Amino acid sequence: MDVVLSKSWLRPLLFVPMGLVVLAGVLVEVLKPLYELPSRSGIVPFLSMSYEGNVPTFYTASLLGLTSLLLALAAAATRRAGERFVAHWWGLSAGFAYIAVDEVFEFHEMAGTFVELSGVLYFSWVIPAVVVVLLVGLVYVPFLRHLPLRTRIRFLVAGAIYVGGAVGMELPLGYWTEQNGTHNLGYGLLDAVEESLEMLGINLFVLWLVDHLAEKGVTLRFANPAPEAPAEPAPEAEAADAP
C-alpha cells in the first residue's frame, strides 16, 4: 500500500504537534508561579520553551532537520531537471542542518559573549545574526526572483515569521531580561512568543516547500515493501521405472 503525503495529511502532521508543544509550554509557565513548581527539575524544565534540551528543543531541531532533508531533495530534483540555482538549494539545506544542530547546542549564544551590551541589545548575538541574514538575503535575491511568484511570496512570509521570532523577539526579550531577570512569567511568555513564531515559520516553510516540490513533479510517498513471491516448490523427482 502506498501513502502519498498530501496537504490533507501534512497539515495536521505539522501543526497538531506544534500546537501541543506550544500549549504545554505556555501552561507550565502560567502554572509555575501559581503552584510554585520547581524550576530546576520536573515538568517545567521538561516542557517550558524557556529551557533547552527538552521537548520543545528537540521538536524544533527535528523540524529543522526535516526541512534540511526536503531542501536536499529539492536540490537533487533541480539538478536532475537541469535547472539553475542547484547550489542555492544545497546552501539552504546546509544552513537548516546547521540551525538544527545549533538549536540543541546553542552555538549562537557564544557570539554574545564577546561584547556586553544593554537594553534591547542585551543579547548581543543578534548583531552578527542580522548581518548574516542581510548577507544571505542579498546572495539569494537572484534565486528568489527565479522562483514562481506564489512560491517566492510564501518563502518570504515564512522566512519573515521565522527571523522575526528568532532574531526580532530577542530585542524585547533582552530588554525584559536585563530589567527583570529570567525566572518570571513575563520572560516565559515572551520566550514562548519567540519560539512559537520560529515553529510557525518553519512549519509554513515545510508545507509550502512540499507544494513547490509537487509542482516540480516530486511526490513524497511512503510505500510498504513489496512482499516477496513465495518460493516455488521443487519439482518432485520422477518415479523410477519399474523393473
Side-chain angles (χ1 to χ4, degrees):
M1 180 182 69
D2 289 355
V3 178
V4 177
L5 192 59
S6 62
K7 263 190 172 182
S8 59
W9 284 87
L10 189 58
R11 281 196 188 100
L13 285 175
L14 290 174
F15 292 104
V16 170
M18 172 189 160
L20 293 174
V21 169
V22 171
L23 178 62
V26 172
L27 191 59
V28 295
E29 292 292 350
V30 173
L31 294 178
K32 181 172 67 172
L34 291 177
Y35 294 96
E36 299 182 352
L37 299 177
S39 299
R40 295 177 178 268
S41 62
I43 194 170
V44 173
F46 186 65
L47 295 176
S48 171
M49 289 182 279
S50 301
Y51 290 72
E52 302 297 334
N54 60 0
V55 171
T57 298
F58 289 106
Y59 165 76
T60 304
S62 300
L63 197 58
L64 288 162
L66 170 65
T67 308
S68 176
L69 291 175
L70 289 173
L71 287 164
L73 183 60
T78 302
R79 180 178 181 182
R80 186 170 61 248
E83 297 179 355
R84 300 165 56 201
F85 300 108
V86 176
H88 288 73
W89 286 110
W90 281 119
L92 285 173
S93 178
F96 273 89
Y98 169 79
I99 298 172
V101 175
D102 179 71
E103 185 70 24
V104 177
F105 295 102
E106 298 184 272
F107 298 133
H108 66 276
E109 299 288 349
M110 295 170 19
T113 60
F114 300 108
V115 180
E116 292 187 5
L117 300 175
S118 61
V120 295
L121 296 178
Y122 180 78
F123 296 127
S124 58
W125 68 267
V126 298
I127 298 175
V130 168
V131 173
V132 170
V133 169
L134 291 176
L135 290 176
V136 171
L138 289 174
V139 170
Y140 273 79
V141 166
F143 169 81
L144 289 168
R145 293 180 63 183
H146 175 73
L147 293 173
L149 178 61
R150 186 178 70 159
T151 302
R152 184 193 318 156
I153 293 173
R154 285 176 163 186
F155 283 8
L156 287 172
V157 169
I161 293 172
Y162 179 80
V163 174
V167 180
M169 281 301 300
E170 286 286 286
L171 303 179
L173 187 65
Y175 180 81
W176 181 276
T177 301
E178 185 182 38
Q179 299 296 319
N180 305 287
T182 59
H183 298 292
N184 53 75
L185 180 59
Y187 177 89
L189 295 180
L190 281 171
D191 203 42
V193 172
E194 174 181 331
E195 298 296 330
S196 299
L197 287 173
E198 292 181 28
M199 295 175 191
L200 177 61
I202 302 166
N203 275 311
L204 288 174
F205 185 67
V206 168
L207 187 67
W208 293 334
L209 178 57
V210 170
D211 261 359
H212 178 71
L213 289 171
E215 291 170 359
K216 293 293 185 182
V218 180
T219 302
L220 300 182
R221 182 187 299 273
F222 301 91
N224 290 333
E228 295 182 2
E232 295 183 1
E236 296 182 1
E238 295 183 358
D241 292 339

